[in-house]
Amino acid sequence: MGYLMLSGAILAEILATTSMKYSDGFSRLWPSLGTALGYVIAFALLAQTLRTVAVSTAYAIWSGAGTAVMAAIGMVFLGEAATAAKVAGVALVIAGVVVLNLGGAQ
């Protein structure tokens, strides 16, 4: 159940961050409200996740997945450059999360 809540937290964080892009510096009401609501949901679900999943594991997955997915969204949908350095950086983030979780597995 913890990893299901963690998945929800990741999804909420991704939606909140995407909404922030469209809030135009918090000058547009609905995207701004979507940002705030998304982060409230993300942190609430992350807090519930921490009841059953180690904080190092949960936070590494939450932040790493959010970073990787937002970078992909930026490159695919928002017109950001898909440079070799950016793609390598995303791969390193993913590898780092995997190594942290393998190192902490018992």
Side-chain angles (χ1 to χ4, degrees), residues 49-88:
T49 298
L50 296 179
R51 295 175 130 189
T52 58
V53 179
V55 68
S56 59
T57 300
Y59 190 73
I61 294 170
W62 182 70
S63 61
T67 300
V69 171
M70 284 310 305
I73 287 171
M75 289 183 277
V76 173
F77 297 110
L78 301 176
E80 297 177 7
T83 64
K86 193 177 284 189
V87 172

Side-chain angles (χ1 to χ4, degrees), residues 11-67:
L11 179 61
E13 188 260 340
I14 290 165
L15 292 173
T17 303
T18 303
S19 293
M20 189 185 307
K21 167 69 175 165
Y22 292 105
S23 75
D24 195 27
F26 294 117
S27 65
R28 297 179 61 214
L29 177 63
W30 294 113
S32 298
L33 291 175
T35 299
L37 180 62
Y39 280 119
V40 166
I41 292 169
F43 282 112
L45 289 172
L46 184 60
Q48 292 302 308
T49 298
L50 296 179
R51 295 175 130 189
T52 58
V53 179
V55 68
S56 59
T57 300
Y59 190 73
I61 294 170
W62 182 70
S63 61
T67 300

